[in-house]
Amino acid sequence: MKSLLPSPLLLLAGLLALAGCQYVDTTPMATGDQVLKGAITCPPDLTLPADASVTVWLLDTANNNIPVGTQTIRHPGVSPIPFEIDYTASDLEVPHRVRIEARIEYGGKLRLMSGHTHQVTSANARQPFALTVSELSGAGP
């Protein structure tokens, strides 16, 4: 009479097949490929000229403000100006201290800059950031 028990090789093949069917969390924080989103608001009476460019940085203040991620937007149009910066989730882990900063240049000069420092952490990185830039003193047209 034939045995009804599966062979050890058949059991091993079944276990390997089940191991390949495990659940993998593919949410952004689990993959390491992240996008930080937000918008930059300019003063209400300011119209940016055609040669304007906006640069938004994620800076690691624990490492001499080394950029973790950046985006430059040429010809940004009207405010609010949306941005998206790619970064890696591990860049927000201790010992890193990451902040976000925006600058607007036109006419070959730095004209506007975000004044308030926004710390970026793994807890708030999924929420859109609202950055407000203001004119630098003496940076008028």
Side-chain angles (χ1 to χ4, degrees):
M1 181 177 257
K2 262 188 166 179
S3 171
L4 295 177
L5 295 174
S7 73
L9 288 177
L10 186 58
L11 282 174
L12 181 60
L15 288 174
L16 289 173
L18 285 175
C21 295
Q22 68 184 1
Y23 172 74
V24 177
D25 185 359
T26 58
T27 58
M29 293 308 276
T31 64
D33 297 323
Q34 311 299 310
V35 177
L36 183 108
K37 297 180 181 184
I40 301 161
T41 303
C42 296
D45 58 340
L46 179 70
T47 302
L48 293 175
D51 70 334
S53 68
V54 176
T55 305
V56 186
W57 284 282
L58 286 180
L59 300 169
D60 186 347
T61 60
N63 289 314
N64 296 319
N65 288 321
I66 293 174
V68 172
T70 187
Q71 182 188 21
T72 298
I73 305 160
R74 306 218 186 281
H75 317 294
V78 297
S79 174
I81 303 161
F83 66 85
E84 293 186 357
I85 301 175
D86 295 326
Y87 69 97
T88 302
S90 62
D91 290 331
L92 303 185
E93 296 172 3
V94 175
H96 303 284
R97 288 191 303 271
V98 179
R99 68 181 175 90
I100 189 168
E101 177 179 295
R103 295 179 179 195
I104 299 179
E105 296 180 10
Y106 56 88
K109 295 182 181 179
L110 175 62
R111 305 293 183 141
L112 300 110
M113 193 167 157
S114 54
H116 178 74
T117 299
H118 295 275
Q119 295 298 323
V120 181
T121 64
S122 58
N124 69 2
R126 292 184 184 202
Q127 302 169 7
F129 280 83
L131 301 179
T132 302
V133 293
S134 56
E135 292 185 68
L136 299 174
S137 55

